[in-house]
Every structure is written in C-alpha cells, then in structure tokens.
Amino acid sequence: MSAYDFTDTLAVQILTYKKEHNETAAQFAKGCGVSATTIRRIENGDANVKLSTADKLLCYTNITLIDLLPPWLQKSYCRGKRATEK
C-alpha cells in the first residue's frame, strides 16, 4: 500500500481552491472561520489538523472527507460500507 498524508492532501486542496477562486490565505481563512496562520501552517506541512478544522475547510471548499482519500482507500471504505449495509 502507498503512504498517505492527509495534511499534504488537504494542503493541495487549499492551494488549488485559493488559486481557482483568486483568494489569499487570509481571505480563505476568513471564509473557513479559522486563522490565516493555521492555513499557512497546513500549506507548509507544519500542522496536525484537528478534525474540527478539517471540517471547516471541507465545508468551505464543498468537498467531502472521502474525496480526499486515495483511490485504494476509497475502495476499501466502500467495500466495508457495502458489507455492513447487507
């Protein structure tokens, strides 16, 4: 299995969103309801992201936690979900 780093993946999403929406770190942070320092720390890989912070970022960018998972983990999650639904 491949290594997966949630914070790195989240940082890429933040950078992509900011670029697509022409937002600064401060604008993005205000929209999310977190500090600009937190956003910069995530972007630089210097943060352990709390679930509550991740939730704010994901809500603001309109993506889900599952969207951030690598394909091999998404398949594993989906298999487990289907198995419990039977």
Side-chain angles (χ1 to χ4, degrees):
M1 265 187 214
S2 307
Y4 172 73
D5 189 314
F6 175 76
T7 304
D8 289 348
T9 304
L10 189 57
V12 169
Q13 290 296 320
I14 291 169
L15 292 165
T16 301
Y17 184 93
K18 286 180 5 186
K19 183 176 181 179
E20 289 175 354
H21 294 87
N22 197 30
E23 290 187 3
T24 65
Q27 292 168 323
F28 182 83
K30 184 176 182 180
C32 295
V34 300
S35 73
T37 301
T38 297
I39 298 304
R40 287 188 202 97
R41 289 184 69 212
I42 293 169
E43 291 175 339
N44 292 328
D46 296 331
N48 286 323
V49 182
K50 293 180 185 177
L51 187 55
S52 59
T53 301
D55 184 53
K56 290 175 184 179
L57 302 177
L58 295 173
C59 286
Y60 184 70
T61 59
N62 199 32
I63 59 176
T64 68
L65 184 58
I66 300 301
D67 295 333
L68 295 182
L69 298 178
W72 60 266
L73 194 53
Q74 286 180 2
K75 291 176 186 176
S76 174
Y77 171 79
C78 291
R79 252 193 319 268
K81 185 175 181 183
R82 278 193 293 266
T84 59
E85 290 176 350
K86 290 182 180 179

